[in-house]
């Protein structure tokens, strides 16, 4: 595969999604094997001149929490004013230990840490748009102002925040690659297969980390 821009090209960036303790084994919304990604993401990060990190950052009582909806339990789907919403266990509450980035994540040259899900009334999987699909995070403008044209996306969880971010990146016109072995999925009711299909339809490329070794 010919990559649009190699990792060392300043027109490309590594987008690291939600490598936080609540998504690690033992966390409130654990993704199996999530902590195993840290060494690989650190190695990938050293290949990139530009790195951006996202951090789920919910206020207490967030609308996406099952506890905020009496009579409901985690992983149910309800309809909110902006559309369907999967209800989650309480996770990544602002300032909590579970919301912190994994301490072994070594990306000292990351230029931006983007916090999302801060609006108490709207969830936000994507690094570009909140779940109402109109409220922007500002990431698209940041990338354009810095001359970035190609994104390589890694992190957690593949079938939710990674997939939504990758799809929105493609919609915004960025060349978008998801590094499959640098992600892990929740796979809730077929969500992983659906995510790959949706990403593919938008032209998101599925690659492995070894394809970047000699890029």
């Amino acid at each position: 595969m010919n990559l649009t821009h190699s990792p060392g090209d300043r027109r490309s960036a590594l987008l690291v999604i939600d490598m936080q303790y609540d998504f690690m084994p033992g966390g409130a919304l654990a993704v199996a094997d999530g902590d195993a990604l840290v060494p690989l993401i650190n190695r990938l990060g050293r290949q990139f001149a530009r790195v951006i990190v996202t951090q789920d950052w919910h206020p207490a009582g967030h609308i996406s929490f099952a506890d905020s909806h009496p009579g409901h339990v985690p992983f149910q789907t309800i309809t909110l004013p902006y559309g369907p919403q999967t209800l989650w266990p309480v996770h990544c509450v602002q300032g909590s230990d579970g919301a912190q980035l994994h301490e072994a994540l070594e990306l000292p040259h990351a230029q931006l840490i983007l916090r999302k899900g801060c609006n108490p009334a709207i969830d936000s999987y994507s690094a570009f748009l909140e779940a109402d699909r109109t409220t922007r995070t500002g990431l698209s403008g940041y990338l354009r102002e810095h001359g970035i044209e190609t994104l390589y996306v890694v992190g957690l969880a593949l079938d939710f925040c990674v997939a939504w971010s990758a799809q929105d990146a493609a919609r915004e016109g960025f060349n978008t690659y998801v590094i499959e072995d640098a992600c892990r999925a929740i796979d809730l009711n077929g969500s992983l297969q659906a995510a790959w299909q949706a990403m593919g339809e938008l032209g998101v490329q599925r690659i492995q980390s070894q394809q970047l070794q000699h890029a």
Side-chain angles (χ1 to χ4, degrees):
M1 176 184 292
N2 292 321
L3 303 174
T4 310
H5 296 113
S6 65
D9 190 316
R10 293 189 66 81
R11 291 170 293 178
S12 69
L14 183 69
L15 179 60
V16 180
I17 303 291
D18 298 356
M19 292 295 293
Q20 298 164 259
Y21 282 112
D22 269 345
F23 298 126
M24 302 292 163
L29 185 49
V31 181
D33 208 27
D35 52 347
L37 299 180
V38 174
L40 174 56
I41 290 175
N42 287 343
R43 288 198 300 273
L44 288 169
R46 289 192 285 271
Q47 292 183 251
F48 284 83
R50 297 180 180 271
V51 177
I52 297 159
V53 176
T54 72
Q55 191 174 15
D56 222 24
W57 198 251
H58 297 303
H62 192 262
I63 200 166
S64 70
F65 296 163
D67 284 3
S68 300
H69 304 273
H72 293 278
V73 297
F75 309 111
Q76 284 185 329
T77 300
I78 64 171
T79 300
L80 293 177
Y82 55 80
Q85 172 67 54
T86 300
L87 297 179
W88 304 108
V90 175
H91 67 283
C92 295
V93 174
Q94 295 171 0
S96 68
D97 290 342
Q100 303 309 311
L101 295 168
H102 197 293
E103 64 179 359
L105 200 65
E106 296 179 0
L107 301 169
H109 59 306
Q111 292 93 343
L112 175 69
I113 297 176
L114 186 148
R115 288 175 168 171
K116 58 188 179 63
C118 305
N119 186 328
I122 307 173
D123 206 5
S124 185
Y125 300 137
S126 171
F128 290 86
L129 287 170
E130 294 185 4
D132 62 359
R133 311 309 293 151
T134 57
T135 304
R136 293 183 169 273
T137 66
L139 180 57
S140 181
Y142 174 91
L143 295 173
R144 290 196 172 93
E145 287 177 5
H146 287 78
I148 295 168
E149 301 173 12
T150 299
L151 284 179
Y152 295 86
V153 191
V154 301
L156 302 170
L158 173 53
D159 42 342
F160 286 93
C161 295
V162 169
W164 283 53
S165 297
Q167 289 173 74
D168 283 344
R171 290 188 185 103
E172 291 286 334
F174 297 98
N175 308 303
T176 308
Y177 299 86
V178 169
I179 306 175
E180 183 176 13
D181 57 324
C183 303
R184 293 291 185 273
I186 297 173
D187 203 8
L188 182 65
N189 301 320
S191 56
L192 179 57
Q193 181 178 348
W196 280 125
Q197 181 174 340
M199 287 189 283
E201 289 172 356
L202 288 167
V204 175
Q205 298 293 307
R206 180 178 183 173
I207 64 172
Q208 304 297 318
S209 60
Q210 65 184 11
Q211 293 174 255
L212 300 182
Q213 290 178 354
H214 306 292

